[in-house]
Amino acid sequence: MKVGFIGLGNMGSAIARNLIKAGHDLTVYNRTRSRAEAFAALGARIAETPSAAAADAEALITMLADDAAVENVIFSPGNAIEALPTGAVHISLSTISVGLSRRLAEAHRENQQHYLAAPVFGRPDAAAAAKLFIVAAGPAEQIERCRPLYDAIGQKTFLIGEEAHLANVIKLAGNFLLTTVIESLGEAFAFGRKFGIDPHAFLDILSNSLFPAPVFRNYGSMIASDKFEPAGFKLPLGMKDNRLLLAAAEEAAVPMPMASLVHDRFVAALAQGLGEADWAAIARISYQNAGLYKEDTGKRSPNDL
């Protein structure tokens, strides 16, 4: 397919490479041009503007950090929605608000275009390996039309229904559950450490008995090692997803007390200067609350008991 691709961060770059590898014809745009230039050697064209990336595309893919970034490329002056051909489809892989997803569906409908929400589960290593899980929602015929794109970047695509925003609801709920795993692991590891239990031995027992899922192994390893950089998913982005969840929950009158607790953990972590760390660094707040750091050592490791 002829694809316009906007957003070449860690996730977007890996996805774009896999689309090129699968034989799709890409025109790429990134606000920081240097990230796009690397794709010229792979056969992609470099667009100077979002509208140039959208022009003549059968499918326009956006993989951007937040609502503001998506709104900027789609709706701002020189925007992509006006350049995207009639009958083309915009596929949003981004984690965005339920409200913006609804707005995008309506705007593309008015422009005689199509819109699919297809947020993904997986970190940059899964994106590079084309092992993402894709949650797709929107018109069924458009999902089938774009299945070759999904197959090029993911290991499984889940079809949710005709209403595109439902995919965003599921993505936000999934990320919420990940934060509860991180929070509970942080509390459990803090508890174990106070009794002198080796954190890696603790993780080995938990991940080979009660909780064998990769999410427990992967985040548990980070928390056991108290090592959250380099970040696979930066903490401010996790906080953004938490805010989107709470906003949608408030609109739907769904109390989510655990999400509110996690929000406070994000705020505390940012106050501790962890803005460049992985979102799993909220576990450090549990360590700090348990008195596991010796501030006078100048170190920030729970091993300094």
Side-chain angles (χ1 to χ4, degrees), residues 149-289:
L149 302 176
Y150 298 147
D151 291 346
I153 66 174
Q155 59 179 301
K156 186 169 184 177
T157 299
F158 298 91
L159 308 182
I160 303 307
E162 295 277 329
E163 297 295 326
H165 69 274
L166 296 180
N168 303 101
V169 171
I170 290 172
K171 171 62 174 176
L172 293 176
N175 278 14
F176 160 67
L177 288 172
L178 289 176
T179 62
T180 64
V181 169
I182 293 167
E183 172 63 22
S184 60
L185 283 171
E187 293 181 23
F189 275 80
F191 175 69
R193 283 182 185 275
K194 286 302 289 274
F195 284 88
I197 295 173
D198 177 84
H200 295 284
F202 187 33
L203 174 62
D204 183 62
I205 293 168
L206 293 178
S207 61
N208 286 291
S209 58
L210 297 174
F211 305 109
V215 64
F216 284 92
R217 291 196 185 99
N218 295 339
Y219 285 116
S221 178
M222 296 170 69
I223 295 167
S225 300
D226 191 36
K227 187 175 186 300
F228 303 106
E229 294 184 37
F233 186 60
K234 286 189 177 182
L235 193 143
L237 292 175
M239 185 173 179
K240 176 266 297 183
D241 292 353
N242 175 266
R243 286 198 305 268
L244 296 181
L245 172 84
L246 286 170
E250 181 177 344
E251 181 183 352
V254 180
M256 300 190 75
M258 182 61 78
S260 296
L261 183 150
V262 169
H263 175 77
D264 288 346
R265 292 293 198 246
F266 278 120
V267 173
L270 287 176
Q272 294 295 324
L274 295 172
E276 293 298 312
D278 194 273
W279 68 336
I282 62 171
R284 277 198 178 155
I285 307 306
S286 292
Y287 287 166
Q288 290 171 348
N289 289 348

Side-chain angles (χ1 to χ4, degrees), residues 44-61:
R45 289 176 294 278
I46 300 174
E48 298 296 332
T49 63
S51 60
D56 299 324
E58 296 174 87
L60 174 68
I61 296 176

Side-chain angles (χ1 to χ4, degrees), residues 80-124:
I81 197 168
E82 296 299 333
L84 192 65
T86 299
V89 58
H90 171 201
I91 305 169
S92 173
L93 304 182
S94 310
T95 303
I96 58 174
S97 69
V98 174
L100 178 56
S101 193
R102 287 191 178 115
R103 180 185 172 197
L104 286 166
E106 180 59 29
H108 284 295
R109 189 179 302 115
E110 290 176 355
N111 279 269
Q112 298 182 300
Q113 302 152 350
H114 306 286
Y115 171 69
L116 299 175
V120 300
F121 288 118
R123 290 166 70 90

